[in-house]
Amino acid sequence: MIRGFALVCCLLFGLGWGATSSLLAAPALDASNNVGGNSAALSLRPSNFWAQSFTVATDGLLSQIDVQLGKFAGAAGDVTLELRPLVGGLPAIDDKSRLFNTVISINDVPVINLLADPPPFVSVDLSSAGIHAKSGEQYAISMRRSGGDPVAAWRSKPNSYPGGTGFFRNLLNIPWSASVEELGFQTWIDPTPSTPYKYRVDATYDVQYRPGAVSSMIEGETALVIGGFPGDLSFPEQRPIMEFSLAGLPAGAVVQGAYLDLDFYVSSGAPRIEIVGFAGDGIPSLPDGTTPGTLLAVTGPTSASSSGQLPLNHSFIASLVGQATHAGVRLRSLDLPQYVGFTASDSTFSTSIPPRLVVEYTLPGLQGDFDDDEIVDGADFLVWQRGYPGTYGTEELAAWQAGFGSAFPSASAAAAVPEPMAESAGLIAVICAAGTLRSSLRAR
């Protein structure tokens, strides 16, 4: 018995107690539909679009998707892979809703001689998308291709995956239809990612504010303009105002960065843009145009050809978490009467991206919380000990060590966490003393 306790003590000290450890869990296979060699293949052509939904089993970063994809020799035309949310049980059809898209070069697709050949996997890295997948959530992988014959094919097998559905459509502007054919794929989840998650949220509202002797606010615009002519009746100065809900940020999120994503499409000149933030409530009102705020950014010259990704002062966004339901932003041109315009949320054009706030965050408090009580403490060590060496190993112990003493804000304030070094030292002493006592009692 004492050997087991000695091993624990050695592991704790051998990992460099008190130092931050980088030994975290690696991405692991999550959802999978390996259709095997005895399967069909669905051709990807300009009028054949296929999708496959899947169910997440493990919380973490959706870091990689593999698709069973092959081509006949001579095939031309690259493959577009997208990750889409489900709306009413079907993959979203508009491009502005997609969560990720990339192009798989046809040169990277393995050659097959027969459709019955063992289906290869082609891997796509999604880690940069920062998708925080949660157990039970569903997403859809969709693929399409620009070329015809010779074909590239996505391997499939009827009714082969219980956690999702295959889908088909032959035009981009029509809804998906369910199919009995379910397509080959596998997904990977990183439970302790080194890159931040990304919280993406469209504007709860976006309005055009017109300052002046009699200020006005206009809702329902399909486009918003930053700039114009002060005092002009036909094209007055305009300052867009937007608010974004913070409700989707998980408890304990540590904000690491933030930016606005706008779809610029028109401009006159290249004005600089001032971005001011304020605590919002999700309801548009005239005071939103003048309420005191915090300077979040001043962009360089901006035109229709500029990147729509505008970095923000993320510390202000972090200060709103738990204090306000929405983050509000106002934009104005610093070089009047020059203006730049972007697509509003009321636009019906399917490929236009609505105003979107992206918040990058981490969840360091999750490391080592094996009993899911939102506190990393001695109780988690006992869970680890009971599961060692089968369920848990030294990497999980290092994660517990790195997160020891942390707690989510939602954890009860009454459960005060002692100083990490003091409690950990006491824990080690108890473990080692218990081992010595048991050994002594057996000797008698």
Side-chain angles (χ1 to χ4, degrees), residues 251-322:
V254 179
V255 177
Q256 305 283 356
Y259 57 88
L260 277 180
D261 222 347
L262 304 178
D263 196 355
F264 292 124
Y265 77 101
V266 66
S267 59
S268 89
R272 295 165 298 149
I273 301 172
E274 176 191 79
I275 306 175
V276 171
F278 62 94
D281 57 7
I283 302 172
S285 62
L286 277 174
D288 289 341
T290 55
T291 186
T294 300
L295 181 65
L296 300 186
V298 174
T299 74
T302 305
S303 68
S305 60
S306 298
S307 166
Q309 200 173 100
L310 308 180
L312 304 177
N313 177 351
H314 69 274
S315 297
F316 174 76
I317 304 297
S319 73
L320 297 180
V321 178

Side-chain angles (χ1 to χ4, degrees), residues 142-158:
S142 68
M143 286 203 293
R144 64 178 187 265
R145 175 172 159 261
S146 59
D149 292 327
V151 301
W154 191 356
R155 305 307 298 270
S156 69
K157 193 172 185 178

Side-chain angles (χ1 to χ4, degrees), residues 205-211 215-227 235-242 284 286 331-332 340-342 344 346:
Y205 75 80
D206 49 6
V207 298
Q208 196 73 269
Y209 175 73
R210 295 180 177 178
S215 298
S216 62
M217 183 173 284
I218 303 174
E219 295 187 76
E221 298 281 85
T222 59
L224 297 174
V225 171
I226 311 166
F235 190 41
E237 181 188 359
Q238 304 182 77
R239 302 178 182 180
I241 299 176
M242 298 168 280
L286 277 174
L331 300 91
R332 73 181 182 100
V340 59
F342 59 90
D346 291 294

Side-chain angles (χ1 to χ4, degrees), residues 160-195:
S160 54
Y161 175 62
T165 306
F167 298 93
F168 171 78
R169 62 176 173 168
N170 56 14
L171 293 173
L172 289 176
N173 60 348
I174 67 172
W176 294 89
S177 298
S179 168
V180 296
E181 293 289 342
E182 291 176 340
L183 300 112
F185 76 95
Q186 56 189 24
T187 63
W188 299 79
I189 295 289
D190 187 346
T192 53
S194 57
T195 57

Side-chain angles (χ1 to χ4, degrees), residues 25-398:
L29 185 65
D30 190 61
S32 177
N33 185 35
N34 188 336
V35 297
N38 184 19
S39 59
L42 304 177
S43 62
L44 298 170
R45 303 172 184 267
S47 60
N48 282 13
F49 311 133
W50 295 95
Q52 174 66 48
S53 64
F54 65 92
T55 303
V56 178
T58 308
D59 288 13
L61 181 75
L62 182 57
S63 60
Q64 181 178 309
I65 287 177
D66 305 332
V67 286
Q68 289 180 298
L69 183 63
K71 70 179 180 186
F72 287 116
D78 294 334
V79 176
T80 298
L81 181 145
E82 300 167 329
L83 185 72
R84 295 176 177 269
L86 296 186
V87 179
L90 300 174
I93 65 171
D94 56 353
D95 288 347
K96 64 184 180 182
S97 296
R98 65 190 179 189
L99 302 171
F100 175 83
N101 69 289
T102 191
V103 172
I104 301 174
S105 170
I106 196 67
N107 297 325
D108 294 331
V109 177
V111 173
I112 56 175
N113 297 313
L114 299 170
L115 289 180
D117 284 353
F121 277 110
V122 176
S123 297
V124 174
D125 185 354
L126 268 75
S127 56
S128 63
I131 297 170
H132 188 177
K134 303 176 183 67
S135 178
E137 290 183 338
Q138 290 192 314
Y139 300 91
I141 307 161
S142 68
M143 286 203 293
R144 64 178 187 265
R145 175 172 159 261
S146 59
D149 292 327
V151 301
W154 191 356
R155 305 307 298 270
S156 69
K157 193 172 185 178
N159 304 313
S160 54
Y161 175 62
T165 306
F167 298 93
F168 171 78
R169 62 176 173 168
N170 56 14
L171 293 173
L172 289 176
N173 60 348
I174 67 172
W176 294 89
S177 298
S179 168
V180 296
E181 293 289 342
E182 291 176 340
L183 300 112
F185 76 95
Q186 56 189 24
T187 63
W188 299 79
I189 295 289
D190 187 346
T192 53
S194 57
T195 57
Y197 295 113
K198 292 182 180 180
Y199 169 64
R200 298 173 177 83
V201 59
D202 294 347
T204 301
Y205 75 80
D206 49 6
V207 298
Q208 196 73 269
Y209 175 73
R210 295 180 177 178
V214 180
S215 298
S216 62
M217 183 173 284
I218 303 174
E219 295 187 76
E221 298 281 85
T222 59
L224 297 174
V225 171
I226 311 166
F229 295 80
D232 189 279
L233 295 179
S234 59
F235 190 41
E237 181 188 359
Q238 304 182 77
R239 302 178 182 180
I241 299 176
M242 298 168 280
E243 288 193 15
F244 303 89
S245 173
L246 300 174
L249 276 173
V254 179
V255 177
Q256 305 283 356
Y259 57 88
L260 277 180
D261 222 347
L262 304 178
D263 196 355
F264 292 124
Y265 77 101
V266 66
S267 59
S268 89
R272 295 165 298 149
I273 301 172
E274 176 191 79
I275 306 175
V276 171
F278 62 94
D281 57 7
I283 302 172
S285 62
L286 277 174
D288 289 341
T290 55
T291 186
T294 300
L295 181 65
L296 300 186
V298 174
T299 74
T302 305
S303 68
S305 60
S306 298
S307 166
Q309 200 173 100
L310 308 180
L312 304 177
N313 177 351
H314 69 274
S315 297
F316 174 76
I317 304 297
S319 73
L320 297 180
V321 178
Q323 305 300 316
T325 61
H326 288 69
V329 293
R330 294 195 300 265
L331 300 91
R332 73 181 182 100
S333 170
L334 294 181
D335 299 303
L336 296 173
Q338 296 181 60
Y339 66 85
V340 59
F342 59 90
T343 302
S345 59
D346 291 294
S347 171
T348 57
F349 192 49
S350 64
T351 59
S352 297
I353 305 300
R356 184 168 292 163
L357 174 68
V358 181
V359 180
E360 299 175 335
Y361 66 93
T362 56
L363 291 174
L366 289 179
Q367 296 186 48
D369 184 19
F370 303 132
D371 61 4
D372 297 321
D373 65 350
E374 299 186 342
I375 302 173
V376 183
D377 56 10
D380 298 296
F381 174 80
L382 297 178
V383 174
W384 174 87
Q385 186 186 32
R386 287 194 292 269
Y388 180 83
T391 305
Y392 300 115
T394 56
E395 288 188 353
E396 286 75 20
L397 182 63

